[in-house]
Amino acid sequence: MLNFLKLVNIIKVCINNTFNIKSLEKIRIKYISKNGILSKKINNILYNNIYFKKKYGFFLRICKLNIENKIFFKKKIINKFLFQKKIINEKIDCTLPGRFISSGSFHPITKAINKIENFFKKLGFNFFYGPEIENVYYNFESLNIYKNHPAMDMHDTFWLNKNKLLRTQTSSMQVRIMEKFNPPIKALFPGKVFRNDYDSTHTPMFHQIEGLIIDKNINFSNLKWILKKFLYFFFEKNINIRFRSSYFPFTVPSAEVDIMKKNGKWLEILGCGMVHPKVLNNMNINNNLFLGCAFGIGIERIISLKYNISDIRIFFENDLRFLSYFK
Ligand code: DAH
């Protein structure tokens, strides 16, 4: 018994002299774990002699419990001490500037589309997003573009097979919409279009926004009025524009709109016209009663004109310096 009490004292001294969680754990394992020195000693004393068991059992267990508690509280004290030390060392400098998290923003093309949509929504247009993989009928034939038309040329169109292609113009949505809805129609179709072309003013994928109006008493002046108002709105000033007669198989008469650049030269930005009677007939729309006008705007074109961008490939290079300019 004397030996036992001596051992208990030694352990208590060890615990008192320790200021380290690891060595505290070592002490616990060494003395009071299942095979620890003290645990074994208690077992020896208790199970060899029934007399000892009765007389000292309770006392011995209390001694062990006491040591367990001592270790537990010592751990708490050390942890508290370490925590306070950490707080003292980790001084907070209130004068440091906050960490700046830069937020993302919409791509300039998405922004332009949203702006254009806002304008046309107020005029009562509805929006539709058609398929980018189109068939020959909607992209060409329904629009009065037949086999030997240059637009069908292999060099322009990305063909997927004999009948399927990546749409070359958002005009492909015109007939789809006329099939679905009866006139009057006021619709806008923004989206990606694809042509096999690549230089500073052309990319194989670019964006157009197409407008279509089918109604009674529609005439070319309605079209001119809308486009003029739209361009003044988009460029935020009364820019110099001209309507130049042109040719598109699906409109008659057809025109292109040019804008005067800063250097005094004209640049074409959109095509438009009165919907061709053949296209209306294709859709069983009575062209004695209803007339239509349509327009297709190149989105990259008008943004680059507005912001004086000479190479449109920059829109798709993901250069953050360029993109953040439009935030
Ligand atoms: N789809 C033509 C193009 O990609 C643009 C166009 C011209 C659209 C005349 C129209 C239109 O709706 O009437 O060049």
Side-chain angles (χ1 to χ4, degrees):
M1 254 334 256
L2 216 64
N3 271 348
F4 175 82
L5 290 178
K6 259 189 187 169
L7 184 62
V8 169
N9 263 341
I10 289 171
I11 299 171
K12 281 184 179 171
V13 171
C14 280
I15 295 171
N16 283 342
N17 292 339
T18 304
F19 290 97
N20 182 317
I21 295 277
K22 263 189 188 166
S23 33
L24 205 61
E25 182 61 12
K26 270 184 194 161
I27 293 171
R28 191 191 66 77
I29 293 169
K30 184 173 174 189
Y31 293 107
I32 58 167
S33 65
K34 208 174 165 196
N35 291 322
I37 301 174
L38 191 78
S39 310
K40 274 186 177 165
K41 214 167 190 95
I42 291 175
N43 285 346
N44 275 344
I45 297 172
L46 297 185
Y47 297 108
N48 288 344
N49 189 323
I50 190 83
Y51 168 74
F52 276 144
K53 191 171 183 177
K54 273 193 180 161
K55 194 163 183 198
Y56 298 118
F58 181 70
F59 171 71
L60 294 181
R61 288 214 169 85
I62 288 289
C63 281
K64 193 179 170 192
L65 201 70
N66 199 288
I67 286 173
E68 278 169 3
N69 279 344
K70 222 173 157 48
I71 290 178
F72 175 78
F73 286 111
K74 187 71 193 240
K75 259 189 193 166
K76 262 194 157 178
I77 290 170
I78 295 174
N79 275 335
K80 197 173 169 187
F81 171 76
L82 290 177
F83 182 64
Q84 269 166 355
K85 201 171 148 190
K86 202 173 152 197
I87 288 180
I88 290 168
N89 289 339
E90 268 179 15
K91 271 185 205 145
I92 295 172
D93 183 354
C94 309
T95 61
L96 277 178
R99 265 182 215 142
F100 181 72
I101 300 169
S102 61
S103 56
S105 68
F106 286 115
H107 192 276
I109 289 177
T110 311
K111 274 194 153 174
I113 293 178
N114 290 343
K115 189 176 167 129
I116 298 169
E117 284 189 0
N118 273 342
F119 175 84
F120 283 101
K121 261 183 197 159
K122 285 187 193 142
L123 295 182
F125 280 75
N126 288 312
F127 291 81
F128 301 94
Y129 295 83
E132 285 163 13
I133 293 179
E134 205 32 294
N135 58 45
V136 176
Y137 177 70
Y138 290 112
N139 198 82
F140 294 127
E141 288 171 0
S142 67
L143 295 168
N144 210 14
I145 304 173
Y146 289 99
K147 249 200 175 142
N148 295 321
H149 192 278
M152 280 251 212
D153 199 299
M154 282 295 279
H155 300 296
D156 245 334
T157 307
F158 290 109
W159 292 92
L160 301 177
N161 60 33
K162 266 192 174 166
N163 186 37
K164 290 229 177 313
L165 49 100
L166 296 181
R167 69 174 174 194
T168 59
Q169 49 185 351
T170 41
S171 309
S172 61
M173 280 295 286
Q174 285 194 14
V175 169
R176 281 186 179 277
I177 291 300
M178 287 192 250
E179 275 175 352
K180 253 196 169 164
F181 302 101
N182 289 326
I185 294 171
K186 257 184 179 176
L188 217 74
F189 336 114
K192 293 187 172 80
V193 296
F194 306 84
R195 286 182 204 172
N196 195 356
D197 225 344
Y198 190 66
D199 59 39
S200 64
T201 51
H202 297 91
T203 47
M205 184 281 294
F206 59 103
H207 297 77
Q208 285 186 337
I209 196 156
E210 181 95 5
L212 175 71
I213 307 173
I214 309 280
D215 208 341
K216 289 174 188 161
N217 300 325
I218 288 290
N219 58 43
F220 206 87
S221 350
N222 300 135
L223 179 65
K224 269 185 100 172
W225 183 87
I226 286 186
L227 289 176
K228 213 168 163 177
K229 285 275 173 218
F230 163 68
L231 291 171
Y232 290 175
F233 162 80
F234 186 83
F235 286 94
E236 290 160 7
K237 59 181 178 200
N238 292 0
I239 38 148
N240 218 346
I241 59 175
R242 75 171 179 196
F243 282 76
R244 180 171 40 79
S245 67
S246 179
Y247 170 75
F248 295 102
F250 43 95
T251 43
V252 61
S254 303
E256 278 175 300
V257 175
D258 298 334
I259 286 186
M260 190 181 275
K261 290 202 290 186
K262 280 197 177 128
N263 60 11
K265 287 188 178 158
W266 292 101
L267 184 82
E268 176 236 317
I269 50 152
L270 66 89
C272 63
M274 300 302 293
V275 179
H276 198 293
K278 264 195 184 171
V279 178
L280 292 174
N281 275 339
N282 277 350
M283 294 304 97
N284 289 332
I285 289 178
N286 179 353
N287 64 345
N288 288 324
L289 199 60
F290 289 104
L291 286 173
C293 64
F295 54 88
I297 306 169
I299 294 178
E300 284 82 353
R301 270 276 161 91
I302 53 173
I303 307 177
S304 30
L305 257 176
K306 186 170 174 183
Y307 295 101
N308 227 348
I309 296 162
S310 54
D311 188 336
I312 69 162
R313 290 174 289 199
I314 197 162
F315 282 112
F316 308 111
E317 277 168 4
N318 285 340
D319 185 336
L320 285 180
R321 288 165 304 177
F322 170 73
L323 296 176
S324 59
Y325 178 74
F326 294 89
K327 262 191 176 176

